[in-house]
Amino acid sequence: MKITKLSFISILAVLAAIIILPSCGSDSEFDSSGEGRGGSMARFTFLKGYLYIVDETSLKTFDISNPENPSLLGTEEVGAGVETIFPYENYLFLGTQWGMKIYSVENGPTPNFLSDFEHSFSCDPVVVSNSIAYVTLRSGTTCQTGEDRMEVLDVSDLRNPRLLTTIDMQNPHGLSVSDTVLFVCEGDFGFKVFNIKDRANPELISHYDSIPSYDVITNYGRKELIITGKDGIFQYDYSNPYELKKLSQILSFQENE
Amino acid sequence: MRYTFKFLTLGFMLFTLISCDEWERTPNFDVEEVEGYRPIYATESEQDVKTLPAREIENPGKIYVINEFLLVVDQLKGIHVFNNDDPKNPQNVGFIQITGSNDVAVRDNILYADQATDLLAIDVSNPENVKIASRVKNVFPFGTQYPQQQGVYFECPDPDKGLVIGWEYTTLNSPKCYR
């Protein structure tokens, strides 16, 4: 087949279009139907169709049935230093600078206080899996009195969380549980992988100390994890938690480094 | 577009003092020249919520997964959208400019985000042309009105100057704010 100049140009044009299109996003329909998932550092979460937001001192409930007019159903004053919110079954677990607080939305959208578990003054997200809560506490907060550690709590009785064990950490931030594996972000110190087959005794499998990490989301179905930190976004395959396989990285450009 | 913020710095000061009682060292405001943080304000064009071409990540913050998409918050600037169908090769497909934002959640084609002190519901059903569905004012009383660092002096933000999109570390002259 003889390629004419014209068809050569049109081939080029098609190639150019193929290269240019993805960068405008028009070939990849952004499907934002349904509900997404955030990490453990999130201040926003959905539960049963309502939007819950924590901000410094309060837990706010929004009816979002009409997004053009979200209505504030209630504001629960939860004390100072509320930082994170995590949905679990019919409950909301709040990470505050004073400890972990548990609220119920069993009897309607406005949260009812069930219990709290107080610790020293630290920052702390919390995640829950199979009635066990993992709470990280990090120092470097306003009052500088916190310790760096992780607390493992039995929350099968939501009104009475019980401390199972405490693990020393370096500077823990976000965390994520996937079945028998727990990933914990250690800020500038990298991230750690724990085996939690024995839920009360997390066993450190490995420490990846070269990847600053702030928060992590796991996809249990695909056994993949996404880490965010100041250097960028790192994705791993954890089908074998003892040997993570790096899938990709999206590096940030560091203006202020 | 102008925003009127409640000026809460003093309240915040009191709040930190009360919440930490004897632990908080009361800052000395008689300083003249001191190292600290100065607010960077958004320009007029940075105030709009809109879709922009894909760009590099500057200050990665929180992440969010919706279907095959990965959203990465660029702190106080907006949200990078990646098609993460193949995690070996995530495609950077666009950027939603939301100046003054740190948090995101998506449900039924509505993206919820904070913008300084406000909560925005943004219709992303047409990702090329996102639209604000609603704005709830003063959901986040503390907003982005102070730097993330703690135990630092900073220049109190002036609401008349618009949205704060970042903080620069510099020499300040008699700052009136501290956290």
Side-chain angles (χ1 to χ4, degrees), chain A residues 81-101:
Chain A
V82 185
E83 298 178 316
T84 63
I85 185 165
F86 185 86
Y88 174 73
E89 294 175 351
N90 294 317
Y91 310 99
L92 295 164
F93 285 71
L94 274 50
T96 83
Q97 291 182 345
W98 301 103
M100 175 190 77
K101 286 175 185 275

Side-chain angles (χ1 to χ4, degrees), chain A residues 32 34-35 37 56 67 143 248, chain B residues 20 61 65 87 107-109 134 146:
Chain A
S32 52
E35 216 171 82
R37 286 192 310 130
E56 301 281 356
C143 303
S248 63
Chain B
C20 311
V65 172
R107 189 169 195 273
D108 295 341
N109 301 313
S134 60
Y146 50 77

Side-chain angles (χ1 to χ4, degrees), chain A residues 96-98 119-124 136-151 168-172, chain B residues 20 23 150:
Chain A
T96 83
Q97 291 182 345
W98 301 103
H119 48 66
S120 65
F121 200 92
S122 299
C123 290
D124 60 332
T136 58
L137 318 174
R138 73 178 183 275
S139 59
T141 56
T142 323
C143 303
Q144 311 272 336
T145 61
E147 297 167 58
D148 288 292
R149 62 177 195 264
M150 178 166 64
E151 287 174 345
D168 285 340
M169 304 289 292
Q170 287 163 287
N171 192 230
Chain B
C20 311
W23 294 336
Q150 291 171 323

Side-chain angles (χ1 to χ4, degrees), chain A residues 215-230:
Chain A
D215 204 2
V216 53
I217 294 179
T218 46
N219 176 339
Y220 176 68
R222 303 209 301 200
K223 295 282 198 298
E224 285 159 1
L225 70 109
I226 308 170
I227 291 170
T228 176
K230 67 176 187 195

Side-chain angles (χ1 to χ4, degrees), chain B residues 37-85:
Chain B
Y37 289 87
R38 174 180 294 139
I40 302 166
Y41 297 98
T43 62
E44 200 69 39
S45 70
E46 287 169 333
Q47 304 263 8
D48 296 338
V49 169
K50 61 185 173 196
T51 311
L52 293 171
R55 56 164 77 174
E56 273 191 284
I57 302 175
E58 213 168 318
N59 286 305
K62 300 185 190 189
I63 45 180
Y64 197 82
V65 172
I66 172 87
N67 303 323
E68 70 272 38
F69 290 88
L70 166 63
L71 309 182
V72 179
V73 176
D74 211 318
Q75 294 173 53
L76 304 182
K77 294 197 168 57
I79 295 164
H80 300 272
V81 182
F82 289 87
N83 184 330
N84 199 37
D85 202 27

Side-chain angles (χ1 to χ4, degrees), chain A residues 22-26 28-39 41-46 48-51 53-58 60 62 64 67-70 80-81 83 97-98 121 140-145 214-217 222 224 226-233 235 247-256, chain B residues 12 15-16 19-20 23-24 53-54 56-72 81-94 96 102-114 119-121 123-128 133-136 138-143 146 150-151 179:
Chain A
S23 65
C24 333
S26 44
S28 98
E29 194 50 50
F30 176 41
D31 173 14
S32 52
S33 60
E35 216 171 82
R37 286 192 310 130
M41 301 299 273
R43 289 193 303 161
F44 292 15
T45 195
F46 302 112
K48 297 181 166 183
Y50 291 87
L51 171 65
I53 292 179
V54 291
D55 177 53
E56 301 281 356
T57 62
S58 65
K60 294 186 168 85
F62 285 92
I64 49 169
E68 292 185 357
N69 187 17
E83 298 178 316
Q97 291 182 345
W98 301 103
F121 200 92
T141 56
T142 323
C143 303
Q144 311 272 336
T145 61
Y214 166 73
D215 204 2
V216 53
I217 294 179
R222 303 209 301 200
E224 285 159 1
I226 308 170
I227 291 170
T228 176
K230 67 176 187 195
D231 289 357
I233 309 297
Q235 301 193 62
L247 297 170
S248 63
Q249 59 180 41
I250 306 164
L251 293 178
S252 59
F253 69 94
Q254 293 296 315
E255 273 202 336
N256 310 314
Chain B
F12 181 71
F15 153 80
T16 48
S19 63
C20 311
W23 294 336
E24 178 79 20
E56 273 191 284
I57 302 175
E58 213 168 318
N59 286 305
K62 300 185 190 189
I63 45 180
Y64 197 82
V65 172
I66 172 87
N67 303 323
E68 70 272 38
F69 290 88
L70 166 63
L71 309 182
V72 179
V81 182
F82 289 87
N83 184 330
N84 199 37
D85 202 27
D86 176 10
K88 288 195 187 74
N89 189 17
Q91 297 294 313
N92 191 343
V93 295
I96 301 169
N102 278 310
D103 274 89
V104 59
V106 181
R107 189 169 195 273
D108 295 341
N109 301 313
I110 301 287
L111 183 151
Y112 297 88
D114 58 323
L119 170 67
L120 301 183
D123 184 338
V124 290
S125 47
N126 175 5
E128 303 296 302
S134 60
R135 173 187 295 274
V136 186
N138 293 318
V139 171
F140 310 98
F142 305 105
Y146 50 77
Q150 291 171 323
R179 79 181 288 246

